[in-house]
């Protein structure tokens, strides 16, 4: 017997209205690719998915902090050792700062190993009088502005699967081995970050943590257990439902999406009657929902009841992305509406997507101060509403890019054209990410 929701099966989304659809020229090829994927081994296991769900239940209860982050859009060409390692280094640095500063364990969830499909505001893009399909993420089409590259190609779904597997393999190996051990902290230093104005502060935090550990070991006369192993979970937007359906598997009477631990529903596809909500309704994974300014408190409450009718702990993470100018007006009524359902959720702040602007040089950017400003307000609002800000969701990279403006290293508008690599949204670089963690800890401490 399967414990699934009434009327649900992995393909039941097909009878609902599908937003952000992809038109393939060769549907038979798509079917063949999906059949191949459905026969492949899963990328993650139900046990890991359940572990994350239980940890998220602790986040909801204010006992852990969720750090979720990574690229806006992963690229196949970024499936490289240095890029994967640098991103893990930033994650480790940030999580040490958060563990020490917040005095609680951190759950690390990457936007990686599967973040290959992108929703777009417009289905087409026009340049110099030529109109082509918009770039929809590397699992669908290419970024280059040519007719051939922008044509959706089903074979890209296989490359998305294999790239995810390769990334996960290295992430797991590094998490198991000495790389992530706090005593090997020098391994995590990024060359360019050592010039950063905040590197001294970071090193002082590490030194204090090490002293505390040595003290604990001296007193107990044994090593502190579990230090050598670090868990990384994965997440991506479950946008391309044919792929998600093909990666759905049955285990112990439940249906799991085993392409990732934490799939989320994007802002553009989050409606009660949407195909995306229908798909997510029946899987057992913890799921995320991106809550934007247009979602009313009552619509959010209906979605919470619909997607978690039994109030399973850790099932729902609400990722608010309301903007530095919108959060104060909107977040309190969203919190009140969810509270009225009686359901427990994780509240996570995405301070990136409500703060995107176009820089003078024409690039899409975000200001460090606006990102921090939204996070600081989220902390205050949750505290004053008697709620808990459980985590933060950032677009970041371990590379020395210049995509977001500001931070201690003073990236300005003029730097963007020289080191802008994102194919969709601007990310915090390694320096800015570490600085964000240090600043959040500071705000958290003063708010207590
Ligand atoms: C994203 O996370 O990259 C994204 C598109 O977010 P949202 O759905 O919140 O706009
Ligand atoms: Co984005």
């Amino acid at each position: 017997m399967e414990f699934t929701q009434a009327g649900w099966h992995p393909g039941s989304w097909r009878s609902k209205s599908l937003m952000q659809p992809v038109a393939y020229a060769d549907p038979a090829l798509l079917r063949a690719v999906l059949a191949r994927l459905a026969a492949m081994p899963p990328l993650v296991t139900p046990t890991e998915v359940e572990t994350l769900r239980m940890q998220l239940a602790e986040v909801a209860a204010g006992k852990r902090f969720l750090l979720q982050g990574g690229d806006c859009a992963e690229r196949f060409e970024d499936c490289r050792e240095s890029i994967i390692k640098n991103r893990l280094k930033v994650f480790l640095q940030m999580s040490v700062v958060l563990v020490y500063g917040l005095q609680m364990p951190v759950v690390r969830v990457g936007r990686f190993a599967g973040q290959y499909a992108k929703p777009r505001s417009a289905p087409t893009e026009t340049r110099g009088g030529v109109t082509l399909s918009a770039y929809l993420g590397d699992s669908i089409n290419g970024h280059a502005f040519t007719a051939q590259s922008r044509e959706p190609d089903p074979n890209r779904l296989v490359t998305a699967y294999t790239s995810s597997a390769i990334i996960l393999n290295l992430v797991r190996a590094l998490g198991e081995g000495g790389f992530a051990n706090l005593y090997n902290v020098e391994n995590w230093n990024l060359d360019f970050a050592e010039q950063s104005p905040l590197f001294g502060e970071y090193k002082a935090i590490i030194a204090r943590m090490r002293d505390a550990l040595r003290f604990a070991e001296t007193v107990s006369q044994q090593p502190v257990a579990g230090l050598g192993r670090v868990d990384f979970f994965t997440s991506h937007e479950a946008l391309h439902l044919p792929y998600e359906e093909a990666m759905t598997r049955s285990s112990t009477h439940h249906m799991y999406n085993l392409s990732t631990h934490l799939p989320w529903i994007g802002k553009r596809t989050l409606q009660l009657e949407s195909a995306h909500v229908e798909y997510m309704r029946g899987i057992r994974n913890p799921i995320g929902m991106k809550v934007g300014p247009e979602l009313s408190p009552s619509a959010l409450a209906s979605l919470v009841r619909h997607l978690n009718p039994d109030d399973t702990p850790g099932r729902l993470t609400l990722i608010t992305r309301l903007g530095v100018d919108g959060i104060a007006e909107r977040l309190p009524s969203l919190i009140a509406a969810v509270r009225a359902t009686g359901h427990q959720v994780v509240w996570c702040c995405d301070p990136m997507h409500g703060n995107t602007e176009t820089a003078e040089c024409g690039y899409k950017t975000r200001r460090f101060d606006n990102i921090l400003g939204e996070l600081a307000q989220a902390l205050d609002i949750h505290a004053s509403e008697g709620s808990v800000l459980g985590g933060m969701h950032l677009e970041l990279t371990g590379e020395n890019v210049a995509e977001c403006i500001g931070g201690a290293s003073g990236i300005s508008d003029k730097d963007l054209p020289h080191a802008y690599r994102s194919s969709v949204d601007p990310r915090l670089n390694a320096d800015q990410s570490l600085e964000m963690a240090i600043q959040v800890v500071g705000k958290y401490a003063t708010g207590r």
Side-chain angles (χ1 to χ4, degrees):
M1 195 190 91
E2 301 284 351
F3 297 122
T4 48
Q5 305 299 330
W8 186 92
H9 58 88
S12 57
W13 60 269
R14 291 175 185 274
S15 65
K16 299 281 181 168
S17 76
L18 178 65
M19 280 163 283
Q20 304 273 331
V22 176
Y24 288 99
D26 186 350
L29 177 59
L30 175 67
R31 281 195 297 277
V33 163
L34 294 173
R36 196 173 150 205
L37 285 171
M40 296 282 216
L43 295 174
V44 303
T45 67
T47 309
E48 292 170 340
V49 171
E50 289 296 331
T51 302
L52 175 60
R53 192 179 55 69
M54 286 185 279
Q55 292 192 4
L56 289 170
E58 291 179 18
V59 173
K63 297 191 183 127
R64 280 180 186 265
F65 193 78
L66 167 66
L67 173 62
Q68 188 180 13
D71 289 327
C72 178
E74 280 183 288
R75 305 265 295 258
F76 293 159
E77 68 189 50
D78 288 344
C79 185
R80 291 210 307 256
E81 182 183 3
S82 64
I83 291 191
I84 299 166
K85 274 193 169 165
N86 285 347
R87 193 169 43 214
L88 287 197
K89 288 177 182 179
V90 172
F91 252 84
L92 287 165
Q93 291 182 341
M94 292 174 82
S95 56
V96 161
V97 168
L98 293 167
V99 167
Y100 186 77
L102 308 183
Q103 298 280 301
M104 52 174 133
V106 169
V107 189
R108 297 165 206 83
V109 178
R111 276 178 72 114
F112 55 59
Q115 177 51 19
Y116 290 111
K118 294 307 300 173
R120 303 313 302 255
S121 303
T124 57
E125 183 181 342
T126 302
R127 288 192 206 169
V130 180
T131 298
L132 299 173
S133 161
Y135 169 62
L136 303 171
D138 270 17
S139 64
I140 316 280
N141 62 3
H143 190 251
F145 192 76
T146 65
Q148 195 198 4
S149 142
R150 289 292 172 94
E151 182 65 32
D153 175 0
N155 289 311
R156 285 178 165 271
L157 295 171
V158 178
T159 313
Y161 169 86
T162 50
S163 305
S164 301
I166 292 165
I167 292 169
L168 259 171
N169 181 56
L170 185 58
V171 168
R172 288 190 203 284
L174 293 172
E176 264 321 311
F179 181 81
N181 190 318
L182 192 66
Y183 286 118
N184 289 342
V185 71
E186 279 74 23
N187 280 351
W188 313 347
N189 293 348
L190 291 131
D191 297 340
F192 77 91
E194 286 176 29
Q195 322 304 324
S196 146
L198 279 162
F199 204 66
E201 192 167 334
Y202 166 66
K203 279 179 94 171
I205 293 173
I206 295 290
R208 286 202 294 273
M209 269 195 85
R210 273 197 180 162
D211 285 349
L213 283 170
R214 286 215 179 92
F215 179 72
E217 290 181 349
T218 309
V219 170
S220 67
Q221 296 191 330
Q222 54 190 343
V224 174
L227 268 186
R229 215 182 146 269
V230 174
D231 285 332
F232 290 97
F233 297 98
T234 63
S235 66
H236 66 245
E237 179 171 349
L239 180 68
H240 195 59
L241 295 179
Y243 178 82
E244 306 302 334
E245 178 186 344
M247 295 304 296
T248 306
R249 310 289 155 81
S250 158
S251 173
T252 57
H253 309 300
H254 291 291
M255 297 299 283
Y256 289 87
N257 181 321
L258 296 181
S259 71
T260 191
H261 301 107
L262 176 66
W264 79 79
I265 316 177
K267 173 192 98 143
R268 293 165 187 77
T269 52
L270 182 66
Q271 278 103 33
L272 205 53
E273 290 302 317
S274 73
H276 289 80
V277 167
E278 172 60 16
Y279 171 74
M280 299 292 251
R281 181 170 76 91
I283 55 169
R284 170 81 178 164
N285 303 55
I287 61 172
M289 294 153 69
K290 286 291 206 87
V291 178
E294 50 293 286
L295 192 69
S296 70
S298 63
L300 177 60
S302 305
L303 284 161
V304 165
R305 287 194 207 92
H306 184 68
L307 287 166
N308 192 18
D310 305 326
D311 196 18
T312 305
R315 160 78 170 161
L316 293 183
T317 296
L318 308 186
I319 308 163
T320 58
R321 28 90 81 233
L322 301 164
V324 69
D325 297 327
I327 184 168
E329 191 193 324
R330 299 184 194 280
L331 186 56
S333 50
L334 294 168
I335 294 173
V338 172
R339 173 168 299 131
T341 65
H343 287 226
Q344 267 234 326
V345 299
V346 171
W347 288 100
C348 178
C349 175
D350 164 359
M352 312 300 289
H353 289 88
N355 295 311
T356 315
E357 57 185 276
T358 304
E360 258 169 51
C361 60
Y363 284 78
K364 248 204 233 184
T365 193
R366 292 160 174 159
R367 288 170 199 278
F368 186 93
D369 289 345
N370 289 343
I371 297 168
L372 181 61
E374 182 166 351
L375 276 170
Q377 287 189 61
L379 271 168
D380 286 350
I381 294 168
H382 280 288
S384 63
E385 299 292 323
S387 167
V388 180
L389 177 68
M392 59 181 178
H393 179 119
L394 303 172
E395 287 186 339
L396 58 82
T397 172
E399 303 308 295
N400 192 8
V401 300
E403 296 171 3
C404 291
I405 292 176
S409 52
I411 292 181
S412 78
D413 203 316
K414 294 184 194 59
D415 299 314
L416 304 188
H418 306 294
Y420 200 103
R421 289 201 50 239
S422 175
S423 48
V424 184
D425 287 338
R427 302 160 296 177
L428 296 169
N429 66 19
D431 257 7
Q432 291 170 321
S433 302
L434 182 59
E435 183 176 356
M436 194 61 73
I438 293 173
Q439 297 282 2
V440 164
V441 163
K443 304 270 181 217
Y444 195 88
T446 52
R448 269 185 159 180

